Amino acid sequence: IKKVNYNNHMKQKRGRGILKSFQIKTKINFGKGALESLEQLAGKKVLLITDPFMVKSGLVNEVIKYLQKSEYTVFCDIVPDPPMEVVTAGIKEFERFMPDVVVALGGGSAIDTSKAIVYFAKKILNLENIKLEDVKLIVIPTTSGTGSEATSFSVITDAQKGVKYPLVSDELLPDVAILDPELVKSVPSNVTADTGMDVLTHAIEAYVSTQSHDCSDALAERAIKLVCEYLPKAYADGDDIKAREKMHNASCLAGIAFDKVSLGINHSIAHAIGAKFHISHGRANSLLLVHVIDYNSQIKGYKTIEFSETAKKYAEISSFLKLNIFNEKIAVDSLKDAIIKLQKQLNMPLTLTECGIDAKEVESMKDEIAELALNDNCTKTNPVKPTKEDIIKILEKII
């Protein structure tokens, strides 16, 4: 499996301006009962890709009951931080069964793996009389966090090197996403917190990305508002179906936003931390969020007269969240305070040590983590161009 080259979204110079393009390929079926749309697959061959927990818990049956008029098989070898070996096994299963439709059920790992399987199967399999380009990908997220159901990203891990590779191609975009809040009611509170903070990080990083524009800002703004209002409610009561639905929608909205404009160093560092210490991606993002906002704002002292454009955008977030916005510095501080308050409501750890990671181990890997973060594709759209020393300083704040 070869790493997909980074392909930034289209920019074409026309005279003195830049033509920007915004298009959503994925059809989104959302709301209670959205799974019923699977009945349209009657008569199709369906490869259902999921993880062992979905099978053991019986949640996979919520999908299978709508496939009774389809020919289907289940591939359930998905693991967290999906390695290349699982993708390869999935391609072999794809070749054996030759589906008309691939349905991915699960969290980010199941969806990312399914994207990679379909993408590479279409690239490397050479089968007579079969149009692989016609194979559709339907994704059904069972967590409200990654937004992977509507993005052209897939993160695959090289377990031997301890490195995560973000694959980027519009060909990775699912054809259909099904957002049914009934599937996330049983998500444990700690996972609800981790994935919810992932949504918030996606939205905030998209909002200040160097490629952000009016369309992405509108999606990111709505996602931020939804998270701040409904994440505490979903955390406190998993059966609150309205809160679950709103968080599911927020995840998708944030996913569409960052898919169009990418992310920043919050994710770059989180990718490296996750690969090295195997903590959840959302939790890694949460640890970094306040410190990355502080770094990107570039506000020093109390007598700053001019504020960066990034600080002004963070201030806009404070404004639409109705926080204190006396000036940009106060507004940025208010945003950081609001995030810390939210983290405390969710009982989130604030350091790697609180996550059970040995501080000495982190110290020994600082240089390597910083190098990985600098070379991560998400760094390209961070509003401030960081140095290796900058990354290390941020990392030291979460030890």
Side-chain angles (χ1 to χ4, degrees):
I1 299 173
K2 296 181 180 179
K3 179 180 177 184
V4 179
N5 291 328
Y6 183 82
N7 178 25
N8 209 352
H9 288 280
M10 183 183 70
K11 293 191 297 179
Q12 296 182 9
K13 292 186 177 180
R14 297 287 178 87
R16 294 183 179 179
I18 296 178
L19 172 65
K20 294 185 178 182
S21 176
F22 184 82
Q23 178 178 333
I24 300 175
K25 169 191 172 183
T26 306
K27 178 182 179 181
I28 301 168
N29 297 326
F30 61 98
K32 191 174 180 180
L35 276 179
E36 294 175 9
S37 61
L38 288 172
E39 292 177 341
Q40 299 173 6
L41 301 181
K44 303 287 187 181
K45 293 184 69 176
V46 179
L47 171 58
L48 176 56
I49 298 178
T50 189
D51 60 65
F53 176 77
M54 291 292 121
V55 176
K56 185 177 180 180
S57 67
L59 199 58
V60 70
N61 295 325
E62 294 300 311
V63 171
I64 289 175
K65 70 183 182 182
Y66 293 108
L67 301 178
Q68 296 307 304
K69 295 182 179 180
S70 307
E71 180 184 351
Y72 68 88
T73 189
V74 179
F75 176 76
C76 60
D77 294 347
I78 305 303
V79 295
D81 300 321
M84 296 177 180
E85 292 79 6
V86 173
V87 175
T88 302
I91 294 171
K92 290 179 180 178
E93 181 64 10
F94 183 107
E95 184 177 19
R96 183 195 69 79
F97 185 67
M98 283 315 307
D100 302 308
V101 180
V102 172
V103 174
L105 172 70
S109 295
I111 294 175
D112 279 8
T113 305
S114 299
K115 287 178 173 181
I117 289 170
V118 173
Y119 176 84
F120 287 115
K122 290 181 177 181
K123 292 291 183 184
I124 66 178
L125 296 182
N126 185 15
L127 304 170
E128 294 182 3
N129 302 320
I130 297 176
K131 293 182 179 180
L132 292 179
E133 65 271 17
D134 292 337
V135 176
K136 303 298 182 183
L137 174 61
I138 298 175
V139 297
I140 308 170
T142 56
T143 60
S144 304
T146 67
S148 186
E149 66 272 9
T151 72
S152 56
F153 292 78
S154 174
V155 181
I156 303 301
T157 301
D158 185 328
Q160 292 183 338
K161 294 182 179 179
V163 176
K164 290 190 175 186
Y165 292 114
L167 315 180
V168 187
S169 170
D170 284 346
E171 294 177 64
L172 291 165
L173 281 163
D175 296 287
V176 180
I178 299 176
L179 310 180
D180 195 320
E182 291 288 341
L183 293 178
V184 291
K185 285 173 61 177
S186 61
V187 173
S189 59
N190 64 313
V191 178
T192 297
D194 287 351
T195 54
M197 290 304 296
D198 197 15
V199 177
L200 184 61
T201 308
H202 287 156
I204 290 177
E205 286 214 289
Y207 199 78
V208 300
S209 163
T210 57
Q211 298 297 315
S212 65
H213 48 69
D214 289 344
C215 295
S216 63
D217 281 357
L219 293 164
E221 177 180 335
R222 183 60 180 164
I224 292 168
K225 288 179 177 178
L226 288 174
V227 171
C228 290
E229 181 174 357
Y230 289 102
L231 178 54
K233 296 177 181 179
Y235 176 79
D237 179 9
D239 290 325
D240 186 335
I241 197 65
K242 181 178 180 180
R244 289 296 196 183
E245 180 175 352
K246 295 298 185 181
M247 282 304 302
H248 227 25
N249 293 346
S251 178
C252 189
L253 292 172
I256 298 170
F258 84 75
D259 182 61
K260 305 306 177 186
V261 300
S262 194
L263 296 160
I265 60 171
N266 205 121
H267 271 74
S268 300
I269 304 172
H271 288 153
I273 289 174
K276 294 300 180 186
F277 304 120
H278 307 291
I279 64 173
S280 80
H281 178 62
R283 183 160 294 195
N285 272 324
S286 176
L287 295 176
L288 292 158
L289 186 53
V290 167
H291 305 294
V292 170
I293 290 173
D294 191 53
Y295 169 75
N296 282 341
S297 299
Q298 299 286 294
I299 299 174
K300 297 179 176 65
Y302 290 88
K303 297 182 179 179
T304 306
I305 298 175
E306 294 184 4
F307 296 94
S308 67
E309 290 303 311
T310 306
K312 292 176 182 177
K313 292 214 73 174
Y314 285 133
E316 287 178 8
I317 296 175
S318 290
S319 179
F320 62 65
L321 289 178
K322 296 180 172 55
L323 304 176
N324 189 344
I325 54 169
F326 179 76
N327 61 28
E328 280 82 353
K329 176 175 174 49
I330 298 296
V332 172
D333 286 343
S334 295
L335 177 60
K336 292 188 293 182
D337 290 343
I339 292 170
I340 293 171
K341 179 180 178 181
L342 176 60
Q343 290 169 324
K344 290 180 178 179
Q345 282 182 283
L346 304 175
N347 295 305
M348 298 288 291
L350 301 180
T351 65
L352 286 167
T353 303
E354 291 178 37
C355 294
I357 310 299
D358 190 325
K360 293 182 180 178
E361 188 178 4
V362 182
E363 288 284 350
S364 68
M365 292 187 179
K366 285 192 303 186
D367 285 349
E368 185 179 358
I369 290 171
E371 289 287 352
L372 288 171
L374 281 177
N375 292 321
D376 192 292
N377 285 322
C378 293
T379 301
K380 296 178 182 179
T381 45
N382 194 70
V384 179
K385 186 177 181 179
T387 64
K388 180 178 177 180
E389 290 70 27
D390 292 335
I391 299 293
I392 290 175
K393 287 179 180 178
I394 293 171
L395 186 60
E396 287 174 340
K397 291 181 178 180
I398 64 167
I399 295 177

